Amino acid sequence: MKLAIVILAAGQGKRMHSDLPKVLHSLAGQPLITHVITTALTLQPNQIHLVYGHGGDQVKTALANAPVTLIEQTPQLGTGHAVAQAMPFISDDQQVLILYGDVPLIGATTLQHLCSRADANSMAVLTVELANPYGYGRIVRNAQGWVEKIVEEKDADATLKLIKEVNTGILAVPASYLRRWLNLLTNQNAQGEYYLTDIIALAAQEALTIHTVATDEVHEVMGVNDRLQLAQLERYYQTQQVNRLMLAGVTVKDPARLDIRGTVQAGRDVIIDVNVILEGPVTLGQRVKIGPHTVIRNARIGDDTEIFANCVIEETIVGANCRIGPFARLRPETVLAEQVHIGNFVEIKKSSVAHDSKINHLSYIGDTEVGYAVNIGAGTITCNYDGANKHKTIIGDRAFIGSDTQLVAPVIIGTGATIGAGSTITRNTPPETLTFSRAAQTSVPSWQRPKKKK
Ligand code: UD1
Ligand code: CA
């Protein structure tokens, strides 16, 4: 059967105490809903329908490019009512898988297994055993062990409340049955809502087979209702990610102090010190070392490169055998070749630096092409912005830029040129030649220091 997925995400998320809709709160750098959509896509569904409500405009904006159809549910009259909003868009020949926008870590394998248990004439419900089932719908079975109904916490009597097998909410059901049952739902219950879970009793009455799939992966089915649960899931997810890296050959000095908000590919014998954040796609070559307190976002770091403490590296390609930091900032569109040294308090933006060049102290290099074996002295500034436009600086191979120099772009420093310290360079400089611009040094022998008045 073709698969249609319905993701419920209309709820308010009251307990978040937030102006942001719950499903847009982020886990590992991505909105909760994005995790669910990403997993849903791995099942190769025919369609994904997302039922939204609270914070509709924000949800629509955030998901403008997501491969889902957005269906508004106003007002929100319960999970059954929410699914009913999607049914006009789903044909009878499909299997419908219900997911939740606030259950972000549901796994593709679990869902595949669940879907494989349902067919044109049977359904499957994902369940979990909880030591403390409080708050969840209970799975009620008959004497033969078949599922009879699901009873919500607020509707359960003392005996039913003892049941520890609970409804995760996730289920797979043929569309034709679902459509019919949804039309039969009433809101005669403790919460005055149209419960999706009431379709179970209708299925049982028709003697339709209701399979249950029990999962041991509690985190996969945990919902986010408040910020404590969000933090717990974040920690769990981070632990999983970091464990995976360590098992693949990365040394992590403290697994609790590395955060991965994206995907990391790492070579063998990478060493990561404490308080490092890796965001977006990050690739680390063989034997890369990352010092403490560093943020790396959308970057590729070459083999044997060492990044010292307190660096921020964003949208940058760093070659092999480089030394970066401490306290370096590499901004977007920076490309460093092999054996480049970038030292403390150096900022590089939208520039390329060829092999064996050094920018070791206190410099700003922006919109610049730096050749190979260039040495840029302390306090060198490329003046790339005239207040209206950005201009380029080109620094030839083997050039030597003396300390405290301003290169006023657009400007070209010739190959092998030497620029004397303290220069303000406003015109192109010839190759293999010393250029400087500097007031002549004077000494005044007759001068005397002022003395304090009596
Ligand atoms: C639901 C289940 C319960 C299950 C639990 C698992 C029902 C009636 N109960 O209870 O059996 O144990 O989930 O977490 O289904 N939503 C909408 N529109 C609505 C109402 C809800 O989109 O009108 C969405 C919410 O955003 C949320 C999800 O549906 O993502 C679940 O709704 P919620 O009210 O939290 O249901 P529970 O009471 O937790
Ligand atoms: Ca819930």
Side-chain angles (χ1 to χ4, degrees):
M1 285 175 95
K2 283 184 182 164
L3 180 65
I5 295 180
V6 177
I7 303 176
L8 302 189
Q12 180 173 15
K14 248 189 219 152
R15 282 176 281 165
M16 296 297 280
H17 301 287
S18 177
D19 293 333
L20 190 68
K22 177 163 71 175
V23 293
L24 295 185
H25 279 260
S26 83
L27 185 142
Q30 298 268 335
L32 297 176
I33 188 70
T34 305
H35 289 271
V36 181
I37 293 171
T38 304
T39 304
L41 284 170
T42 66
L43 301 175
Q44 298 183 305
N46 214 26
Q47 309 151 298
I48 300 178
H49 304 283
L50 190 130
V51 181
Y52 72 96
H54 274 279
D57 288 342
Q58 292 178 73
V59 173
K60 269 199 279 190
T61 308
L63 296 179
N65 298 315
V68 298
T69 52
L70 295 169
I71 297 165
E72 189 168 7
Q73 183 202 16
T74 36
Q76 285 96 44
L77 302 179
T79 50
H81 177 255
V83 174
Q85 308 310 303
M87 292 315 289
F89 305 96
I90 298 173
S91 58
D92 271 346
D93 57 341
Q94 305 197 60
Q95 187 181 72
V96 180
L97 172 66
I98 311 288
L99 301 178
Y100 295 80
D102 57 356
V103 181
L105 299 186
I106 185 65
T109 313
T110 304
L111 293 179
Q112 270 152 13
H113 182 52
L114 184 77
C115 289
S116 73
R117 295 304 307 270
D119 61 22
N121 290 298
S122 68
M123 61 181 293
V125 179
L126 187 66
T127 66
V128 64
E129 290 262 347
L130 294 180
N132 174 13
Y134 178 80
Y136 288 86
R138 307 300 204 282
I139 306 289
V140 182
R141 292 176 184 271
N142 66 16
Q144 289 75 45
W146 288 103
V147 177
E148 218 170 37
K149 57 184 173 180
I150 293 177
V151 178
E152 294 302 303
E153 174 79 33
K154 290 195 175 121
D155 300 286
D157 61 26
T159 322
L160 292 182
K161 280 181 181 164
L162 296 175
I163 297 173
K164 295 195 159 39
E165 185 188 13
V166 307
N167 173 33
T168 64
I170 295 170
L171 55 88
V173 53
S176 53
Y177 288 92
L178 178 62
R179 191 187 317 278
R180 193 156 48 75
W181 295 331
L182 288 175
N183 286 327
L184 299 175
L185 293 182
T186 72
N187 61 356
Q188 308 301 302
N189 52 53
Q191 301 184 76
E193 288 181 5
Y194 295 90
Y195 291 163
L196 175 63
T197 42
D198 284 350
I199 68 167
I200 305 298
L202 295 170
Q205 280 158 28
E206 294 184 19
L208 193 101
T209 308
I210 305 166
H211 297 288
T212 54
V213 171
T215 180
D216 300 327
E217 306 291 338
V218 177
H219 291 94
E220 280 197 19
V221 297
M222 254 178 73
V224 172
N225 294 302
D226 57 38
R227 296 185 203 234
L228 294 186
Q229 290 172 333
L230 179 60
Q232 283 161 5
L233 280 194
E234 175 80 32
R235 270 307 102 211
Y236 171 79
Y237 183 85
Q238 291 301 339
T239 304
Q240 299 289 100
Q241 300 288 300
V242 176
N243 287 355
R244 190 182 56 78
L245 271 191
M246 292 190 294
L247 292 173
V250 173
T251 295
V252 177
K253 291 295 183 187
D254 180 358
R257 284 185 286 169
L258 168 61
D259 277 39
I260 297 175
R261 300 172 189 163
T263 52
V264 177
Q265 281 193 329
R268 288 164 76 91
D269 295 313
V270 165
I271 301 177
I272 302 178
D273 212 327
V274 300
N275 292 337
V276 169
I277 299 176
L278 304 177
E279 289 190 11
V282 170
T283 306
L284 307 173
Q286 316 281 349
R287 300 168 298 279
V288 165
K289 283 190 194 163
I290 303 175
H293 316 294
T294 281
V295 179
I296 302 179
R297 181 179 302 131
N298 302 348
R300 217 162 70 208
I301 313 293
D303 294 350
D304 299 294
T305 283
E306 184 159 8
I307 295 164
F308 297 93
N310 295 295
C311 291
V312 179
I313 296 175
E314 190 178 357
E315 287 174 44
T316 289
I317 297 172
V318 178
N321 282 299
C322 291
R323 297 161 64 86
I324 311 294
F327 297 100
R329 179 165 183 216
L330 304 181
R331 291 173 52 200
E333 296 185 58
T334 292
V335 179
L336 309 182
E338 305 80 55
Q339 308 216 148
V340 168
H341 292 186
I342 304 295
N344 39 208
F345 308 107
V346 172
E347 173 181 349
I348 304 198
K349 187 217 81 172
K350 202 174 180 180
S351 295
S352 61
V353 181
H355 65 88
D356 295 289
S357 289
K358 297 185 173 68
I359 311 167
N360 272 332
H361 325 271
L362 300 156
S363 289
Y364 172 62
I365 302 296
D367 304 298
T368 300
E369 283 173 31
V370 179
Y372 75 81
V374 167
N375 194 318
I376 295 186
T380 296
I381 310 287
T382 53
C383 309
N384 59 330
Y385 185 51
D386 60 15
N389 295 298
K390 301 268 167 67
H391 302 283
K392 272 196 86 160
T393 301
I394 296 175
I395 302 176
D397 298 336
R398 296 181 290 99
F400 179 98
I401 313 292
S403 295
D404 192 24
T405 290
Q406 301 89 52
L407 304 173
V408 181
V411 70
I412 300 173
I413 307 300
T415 305
T418 298
I419 306 299
S423 295
T424 301
I425 300 297
T426 54
R427 282 173 285 125
N428 295 351
T429 72
E432 316 292 348
T433 305
L434 170 66
T435 302
F436 61 88
S437 77
R438 202 192 270 165
Q441 182 168 325
T442 16
S443 298
V444 184
S446 60
W447 182 78
Q448 301 215 316
R449 273 192 198 172
K451 294 204 171 67
K452 220 179 176 116
K453 281 184 187 152
K454 294 242 168 74

